């Protein structure tokens, strides 16, 4: 690794990747974004605008960051590769990293789901250092032809990256993109999965996250999903880590609180940009495949592994698949239409 100026490549620079890369570039890190041609062209022409819920609003000049659509160019000389593609593209991205990045490059998975670090390890050359990572916040991407592409962090939280020899957590810890090392990334991944069960519900509702979470009917649906998943994790001997200091077993009870009490107890959970929606909602809008297999699909597979059932998770998988097939954006379902029939 170039100890003075390591090259950090964001492999799959969409909303999260561009936001992370923008913050790193603003902190003086040497950053290359591997992005779709349309996004790479926009960044080369206008740079990036990086803003957040805390009031920061900063501009990354085109010369402060490299944007490439060609993986051979972007990954050449990489010291650290941050993988931010959707889970379904992990194996393909690993192939590009193996082909074009130096063998000594450190790889970090900043993706949803619990399996991506293992998928990367299996697909990359033996001995490649792969660290799990967890991004707790939501990023909104807006586009305008005559202004920089804007990435707005709409929720809060600290990014976690696996601890250990070679961990890049300290290098990645910059203003607007707070990062710390974490020893129990397996527990963190399962805890994040519990929270990510809301991604599909939010996408099926079509509502802003703040509106959805302020309504107890929607929180009861999320609580039921989390309780279902927690029971399966207990059977399988999986111990999810605390989430922002809260034990996962407490989440269903907190979500079931009356609206007025929930607002008092969970103010941090409601600290969300009023227009923020889940990444799965964006997938519906843009007619892209979702990560439902890595979210509720993981719960369904865990149920099969433990000879149990996960009827609510299975129902939501079905509803998301139907919405994907229609390719008409969010179906705008009510909580009663999503819940299991009584």
């Amino acid at each position: 690794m170039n100890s003075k100026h390591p090259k950090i490549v964001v492999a799959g620079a969409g909303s999260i990747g561009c936001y992370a890369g923008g913050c790193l570039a603003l902190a003086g890190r040497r950053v290359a974004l591997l992005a779709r041609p349309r996004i790479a062209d926009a960044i080369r022409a206008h740079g990036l605008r990086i803003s957040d819920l805390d009031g920061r609003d900063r501009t990354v000049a085109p010369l402060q960051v490299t944007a490439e659509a060609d993986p051979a160019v972007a990954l050449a000389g990489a010291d650290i590769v941050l993988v931010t593609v959707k889970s379904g593209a992990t194996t393909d991205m690993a192939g590009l990293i193996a082909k074009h990045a130096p063998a000594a490059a450190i790889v970090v998975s900043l993706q949803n789901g619990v399996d991506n670090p293992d998928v990367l390890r299996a697909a990359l050359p033996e001995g490649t250092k792969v660290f799990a990572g967890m991004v707790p916040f939501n990023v909104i991407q807006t586009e305008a032809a005559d202004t920089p592409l804007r990435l707005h962090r709409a929720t809060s939280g600290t990014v976690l990256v696996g601890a250990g020899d070679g961990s890049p957590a300290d290098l990645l810890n910059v203003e607007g993109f707070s990062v710390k090392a974490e020893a129990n990334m397996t527990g963190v991944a399962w805890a994040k999965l519990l929270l990510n069960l809301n991604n599909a519900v939010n996408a099926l509702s079509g509502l802003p996250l703040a509106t959805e979470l302020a309504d107890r009917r929607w929180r009861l649906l999320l609580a039921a999903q989390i309780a279902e998943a927690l029971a399966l994790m207990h059977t399988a001997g999986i111990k999810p880590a605390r989430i922002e200091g809260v034990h996962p077993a407490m989440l269903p009870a907190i979500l079931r609180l009356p609206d007025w009490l929930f607002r008092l107890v969970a103010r941090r959970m409601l600290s969300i940009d009023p227009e923020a929606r889940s990444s799965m909602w964006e997938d519906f809008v843009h007619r892209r495949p979702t990560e439902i297999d890595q979210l509720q699909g993981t719960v369904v597979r865990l149920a099969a592994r433990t000879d149990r059932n996960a009827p609510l998770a299975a129902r939501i998988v079905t509803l998301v698949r139907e919405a994907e097939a229609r390719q008409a954006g969010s179906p705008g379902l009510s909580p009663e239409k999503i819940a299991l029939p009584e």
Side-chain angles (χ1 to χ4, degrees):
M1 180 186 294
N2 184 328
S3 58
K4 286 189 176 181
H5 300 288
K7 180 180 178 181
I8 302 170
V9 178
V10 180
S15 297
I16 292 291
C18 283
Y19 178 83
C23 288
L24 290 163
L26 285 164
R29 306 294 192 263
R30 187 160 65 107
V31 177
L33 304 176
L34 174 56
R36 294 186 181 92
R38 174 181 58 81
I39 293 177
D41 290 344
I43 295 170
R44 283 195 295 267
H46 304 291
L48 289 167
R49 182 181 171 191
I50 303 295
S51 60
D52 61 41
L53 193 66
D54 303 318
R56 298 180 187 87
D57 195 339
R58 302 174 289 168
T59 299
V60 182
L63 293 178
Q64 285 181 275
V65 63
T66 300
E68 293 288 348
D70 184 345
V73 176
L75 290 163
D79 295 298
I80 299 168
V81 181
L82 307 181
V83 179
T84 58
V85 294
K86 296 286 186 180
S87 296
T90 303
T91 299
D92 289 344
M93 182 55 73
L96 293 175
I97 294 168
K99 182 176 181 179
H100 300 297
I106 293 169
V107 178
V108 181
S109 169
L110 295 180
Q111 302 165 276
N112 287 329
V114 298
D115 298 326
N116 284 307
D118 288 337
V119 172
L120 288 167
R121 291 185 186 102
L124 290 167
E126 186 176 353
T128 301
K129 285 189 175 181
V130 177
F131 290 88
M134 187 278 288
V135 178
F137 48 75
N138 174 279
V139 173
I140 301 170
Q141 180 181 145
T142 59
E143 299 177 42
D146 57 347
T147 58
L149 185 70
R150 183 185 179 193
L151 290 308
H152 178 72
R153 176 168 58 78
T155 53
S156 60
T158 298
V159 178
L160 300 178
V161 171
D165 182 37
S167 173
D170 288 344
L171 179 69
L172 300 175
N173 182 30
V174 298
E175 183 180 357
F177 190 74
S178 178
V179 178
K180 70 175 185 178
E182 168 60 48
N184 181 21
M185 285 305 300
T186 298
V188 165
W190 282 100
K192 177 70 183 306
L193 174 67
L194 293 173
L195 296 182
N196 276 346
L197 294 176
N198 191 50
N199 285 13
V201 173
N202 181 254
L204 291 168
S205 77
L207 296 170
L209 282 163
T211 302
E212 177 212 339
L213 290 172
D215 186 335
R216 186 170 182 263
R217 298 175 307 148
W218 288 107
R219 295 199 309 276
L220 288 174
L221 185 58
L222 177 57
Q225 288 190 87
I226 291 176
E228 181 179 76
L230 280 169
L232 293 168
M233 290 180 193
H234 178 75
T235 300
I238 296 168
K239 296 181 179 180
R242 287 178 175 268
I243 304 168
E244 299 289 340
V246 177
H247 195 286
M250 293 297 296
L251 288 173
I254 293 171
L255 290 165
R256 292 176 184 135
L257 292 172
D259 288 339
W260 68 269
L261 187 53
F262 182 78
R263 286 193 295 269
L264 293 175
V265 171
R267 277 178 289 184
R268 185 180 180 86
M269 192 178 291
L270 291 172
S271 180
I272 306 171
D273 186 283
E275 295 304 315
R277 290 172 170 83
S278 72
S279 58
M280 195 176 292
W281 175 84
E282 292 183 1
D283 291 337
F284 280 172
V285 170
H286 295 290
R287 283 50 167 174
R288 297 187 300 236
T290 71
E291 291 186 304
I292 193 65
D293 280 345
Q294 287 71 40
L295 301 178
Q296 276 80 358
T298 297
V299 178
V300 172
R301 289 191 295 276
L302 182 60
R305 202 172 87 202
T306 55
D307 294 321
R308 298 290 193 275
N309 293 313
L312 185 52
R315 174 164 174 75
I316 291 174
V317 169
T318 298
L319 292 172
V320 169
R321 290 288 181 230
E322 290 174 353
E324 284 180 323
R326 282 194 297 268
Q327 293 201 336
S330 171
L333 300 180
S334 67
E336 293 77 19
K337 292 289 187 181
I338 299 173
L340 291 170
E342 294 185 0

